[in-house]
């Protein structure tokens, strides 16, 4: 059965005093003082089952070890393979993850499986526990906040229709080949991968719209054929009464990618052949990360991923993080972000500084009605300084304060991997973002407590 924490501390080496090691030791103390974190993680690892029922089987990783390994992964921006190596090789990381000298460490597959079990809601609860710790230790009171949005990209290639059609053909061909060769299912189909790749390349190197039309038509043709093969394969496999879970998983994959291939075919046919303008909410930007949204910034830069809204505090802690679906305007998020601050701290902040995209007369009135004394929008958009803040001096100070969140966002992107999410699926996308925020907050709190007084 899984454990919340180690019943007895394993034999571990002594610290050496390296600055990064000192930070890890302080983070370890913070985690020990907030034991509720391990309770949250334990619920995910046990799948909601009562601990008393789990009397047999290997112990595996404890909730404490999983939590600490996930934090190490984010602090050092490791891949799972790097994480497995460094936890086994580094004395300081072994001590931080509570792994004894004579223990082997963990394989990357075990780390992957356990860390991915921590759901986004759990990471949010962990973040709230850390904010409560920061409040109790006079690090952050949440009285002055700043709000801004940024984009975290999905791990996809540029979503050209031709590349997506090729992706659909090659994935369906691979799955059908697996069903035929590995499971001996009698499926008749033609592998069009080479043909689809040639047509995709011809489209990419075509000099004009007329030159692209012919290879597009042929690529659509082979995509339609591949979809037809997949539909027949679904009927064949579905007609087999089997308890083979691998085969059932393969059938689900064929259905999943067949549906996405039809969507890509439809949007490409409408755009290229019929000349329609297909709206973003009707498009699939990746058959591998179908949750991906298109985010257009300042009417010039296109990003493919998800918009996140961050609230920062005077201590440089990230007080809140929301992963958004679609591309809602910043001006629609003000009330939501203020209400979330009240949920976290039991009251609304006294001062709020926001980016110019949040500015509107309605948002100003909403914030004032909630008891916010000073509201600063980086761009006035027709609003008067004296209407937003109690004085011009306060507005100027808040406007300067707001700029600090830009450096915080840059730090998250450079040091914690928030430029691009490398985890698959929307649930994992949210976990990836929120775990990065938790790791950044832990490091910020640790450095605050290590800083000399005064």
């Amino acid at each position: 059965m899984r454990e919340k924490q180690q019943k007895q501390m394993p034999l571990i080496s002594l610290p050496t005093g390296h600055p990064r090691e000192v930070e890890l030791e302080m983070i370890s103390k913070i985690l020990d003082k907030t034991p509720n974190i391990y309770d949250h993680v334990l619920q995910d690892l046990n799948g909601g089952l009562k601990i008393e029922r789990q009397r047999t089987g290997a112990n595996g990783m404890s909730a404490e070890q999983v939590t600490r390994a996930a934090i190490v992964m984010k602090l050092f921006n490791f891949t799972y393979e790097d994480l497995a190596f460094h936890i086994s090789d580094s004395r300081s990381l072994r001590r931080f993850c509570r792994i004894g000298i004579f223990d082997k460490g963990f394989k990357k597959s075990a780390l992957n499986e356990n860390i991915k079990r921590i759901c986004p809601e759990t990471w949010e609860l962990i973040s709230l526990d850390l904010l409560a710790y920061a409040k109790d230790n006079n690090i952050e009171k949440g009285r002055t906040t700043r709000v801004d949005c940024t984009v975290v990209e999905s791990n996809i290639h540029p979503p050209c229709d031709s590349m997506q059609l090729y992706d659909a053909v090659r994935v369906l061909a691979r799955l059908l080949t697996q069903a035929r060769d590995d499971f001996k299912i009698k499926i008749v189909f033609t592998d069009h991968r080479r043909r689809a790749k040639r047509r995709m390349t011809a489209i990419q190197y075509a000099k004009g719209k007329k030159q692209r039309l012919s290879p597009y038509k042929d690529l659509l043709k082979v995509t339609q054929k591949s979809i037809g093969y997949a539909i027949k394969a679904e009927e064949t496999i579905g007609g087999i009464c089997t308890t083979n879970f691998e085969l059932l998983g393969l059938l689900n994959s064929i259905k999943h990618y067949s549906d996405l291939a039809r969507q890509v075919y439809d949007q490409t046919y409408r755009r290229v052949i019929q000349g329609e303008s297909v709206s973003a909410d009707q498009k699939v930007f990746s058959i591998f990360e179908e949750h991906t949204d298109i985010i257009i910034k300042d009417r010039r830069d296109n990003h493919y991923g998800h918009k996140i809204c961050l609230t920062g505090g005077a201590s440089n802690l990230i007080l809140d993080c929301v992963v958004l679906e679609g591309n809602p305007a910043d001006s629609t998020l003000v009330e939501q972000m203020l209400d979330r601050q009240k949920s976290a701290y039991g009251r609304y902040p006294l001062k709020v500084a926001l980016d110019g995209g949040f500015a509107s007369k309605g948002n100003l009135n909403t914030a004032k009605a909630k008891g916010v004394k000073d509201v600063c929008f980086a761009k006035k958009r027709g609003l008067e300084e004296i209407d937003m803040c109690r004085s011009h001096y306060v507005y100027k100070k808040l406007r300067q304060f707001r700029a600090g969140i830009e450096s915080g966002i840059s730090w998250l992107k450079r040091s914690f991997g928030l430029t691009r999410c490398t985890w698959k699926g929307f649930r994992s996308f949210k976990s990836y973002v929120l775990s990065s925020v938790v790791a950044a907050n832990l490091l910020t709190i640790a450095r605050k407590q290590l800083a000399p007084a005064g």
Side-chain angles (χ1 to χ4, degrees):
M1 90 184 201
R2 292 187 183 274
E3 298 175 352
K4 177 182 172 182
Q5 291 178 270
Q6 300 297 312
K7 293 181 179 178
Q8 181 178 353
M9 279 294 295
L11 183 63
I12 55 178
S13 58
L14 297 175
T16 62
H18 188 276
R20 295 305 298 269
E21 194 171 8
V22 172
E23 290 176 349
L24 285 174
E25 291 296 324
M26 179 54 70
I27 291 174
S28 182
K29 292 178 182 178
I30 295 169
L31 291 173
D32 288 336
K33 292 177 181 178
T34 51
N36 286 340
I37 289 176
Y38 304 134
D39 290 326
H40 304 322
V41 174
L42 186 63
Q43 291 297 316
D44 286 342
L45 296 180
N46 286 324
L49 297 177
K50 292 183 179 179
I51 300 175
E52 297 85 47
R53 294 183 180 178
Q54 296 190 347
R55 298 296 185 187
T56 59
N59 290 331
M61 297 178 69
S62 67
E64 181 182 26
Q65 289 174 325
V66 174
T67 305
R68 289 168 176 264
I71 290 167
V72 166
M73 185 178 185
K74 286 300 176 180
L75 285 174
F76 297 94
N77 206 11
F78 287 154
T79 63
Y80 283 107
E81 188 170 358
D82 292 337
L83 179 63
F85 169 73
H86 287 287
I87 284 180
S88 298
D89 183 67
S90 170
R91 290 185 301 171
S92 59
L93 294 185
R94 289 176 71 89
R95 182 170 54 256
F96 179 80
C97 294
R98 302 291 166 83
I99 301 173
I101 293 176
F102 302 107
D103 293 332
K104 294 181 179 180
F106 307 105
K107 295 182 179 179
K108 67 175 184 179
S109 57
L111 292 166
N112 186 321
E113 180 182 357
N114 285 286
I115 291 175
K116 285 293 186 70
R117 287 190 181 186
I118 307 177
C119 66
E121 294 75 19
T122 298
W123 284 116
E124 287 191 18
L125 291 174
I126 293 172
S127 181
L128 290 175
D129 287 341
L130 292 177
L131 293 180
Y133 175 88
K135 182 180 178 181
D136 293 340
N137 287 270
N138 297 318
I139 296 173
E140 176 60 61
K141 296 296 185 181
R143 304 301 277 170
T144 305
T145 62
R146 46 195 172 193
V147 184
D148 200 1
C149 291
T150 188
V151 178
V152 180
E153 295 186 344
S154 299
N155 193 26
I156 64 173
H157 57 62
C160 306
D161 286 334
S162 59
M163 295 185 71
Q164 290 203 80
L165 290 172
Y166 169 63
D167 285 340
V169 171
R170 69 183 179 87
V171 169
L172 290 176
R174 172 173 57 80
L175 293 173
L176 295 177
T177 301
Q178 183 180 353
R180 183 190 62 191
D181 296 345
D182 295 352
F183 297 96
K184 310 303 178 185
I185 306 296
K186 293 183 179 180
I187 301 174
V188 179
F189 71 96
T190 303
D191 189 340
H192 291 297
R193 280 180 282 189
R194 292 181 62 187
R195 180 177 170 184
K197 186 175 183 179
R198 287 197 296 268
R199 299 300 175 266
M200 179 200 68
T201 304
I203 292 168
Q204 290 182 338
Y205 286 96
K207 294 182 179 179
K209 186 176 180 180
K210 290 183 178 180
Q211 287 75 16
R212 285 194 292 269
L213 185 59
S214 178
Y216 252 127
K217 287 182 177 179
D218 194 51
L219 183 54
L220 286 167
K221 182 179 179 180
V222 298
T223 304
Q224 191 175 35
K225 286 183 177 181
S226 299
I227 295 171
Y229 300 146
I231 293 173
K232 291 181 180 178
E234 291 174 24
E235 296 173 354
T236 302
I237 299 174
I240 300 174
C241 182
T242 179
T243 57
N244 189 326
F245 292 106
E246 291 185 6
L247 182 57
L248 291 176
L250 179 61
L251 174 61
N252 290 332
S253 295
I254 294 174
K255 289 180 178 179
H256 174 72
Y257 286 107
S258 177
D259 291 340
L260 289 172
R262 280 194 285 268
Q263 293 183 52
V264 173
Y265 176 90
D266 177 69
Q267 70 189 37
T268 306
Y269 185 84
R270 289 167 58 191
R271 187 185 68 83
V272 177
I273 306 301
Q274 297 182 336
E276 294 183 21
S277 178
V278 184
S279 59
D281 59 347
Q282 297 178 344
K283 286 184 178 181
V284 176
F285 295 102
S286 172
I287 66 170
F288 305 111
E289 299 289 345
E290 62 270 19
H291 58 86
T292 299
D293 295 321
I294 180 172
I295 312 296
I296 302 175
K297 295 190 67 176
D298 301 326
R299 300 180 181 179
R300 65 178 188 273
D301 296 329
N302 293 343
H303 299 273
Y304 300 95
H306 289 286
K307 186 176 186 176
I308 65 172
C309 193
L310 299 168
T311 300
S315 62
N316 290 327
L317 286 175
I318 301 299
L319 308 183
D320 192 17
C321 175
V322 180
V323 181
L324 303 166
E325 293 188 68
N327 186 18
D330 290 355
S331 58
T332 64
L333 303 174
V334 173
E335 186 172 8
Q336 176 187 354
M337 300 307 292
L338 290 176
D339 288 342
R340 288 175 66 92
Q341 281 300 288
K342 183 182 180 183
S343 177
Y345 284 95
R347 49 172 167 66
Y348 291 104
L350 288 176
K351 300 179 181 180
V352 178
L354 306 101
D355 190 39
F358 296 91
S360 75
K361 182 68 174 179
N363 285 333
L364 176 60
N365 292 336
T366 298
K368 292 287 187 178
K370 293 180 183 296
V372 182
K373 298 298 183 182
D374 299 297
V375 182
C376 169
F377 297 111
K379 295 180 181 178
K380 300 176 186 177
R381 305 213 184 260
L383 301 173
E384 297 294 332
E385 292 182 10
I386 200 65
D387 293 332
M388 290 186 278
C389 300
R390 286 169 286 183
S391 67
H392 297 291
Y393 174 80
V394 174
Y395 176 84
K396 181 179 178 181
K397 286 297 181 181
L398 279 179
R399 195 166 184 270
Q400 293 172 345
F401 172 70
R402 188 217 66 86
I405 199 170
E406 302 286 356
S407 64
I409 291 173
S410 176
W411 184 52
L412 286 171
K413 288 179 177 289
R414 287 181 288 106
S415 302
F416 297 91
L418 274 197
T419 301
R420 175 180 289 251
C421 171
T422 56
W423 293 3
K424 186 174 177 60
F426 187 50
R427 175 187 179 276
S428 294
F429 188 102
K430 291 191 287 186
S431 294
Y432 182 95
V433 172
L434 294 171
S435 61
S436 297
V437 170
V438 167
N441 281 346
L442 273 169
L443 185 56
T444 300
I445 295 172
R447 288 175 173 174
K448 291 284 184 183
Q449 294 193 313
L450 289 170

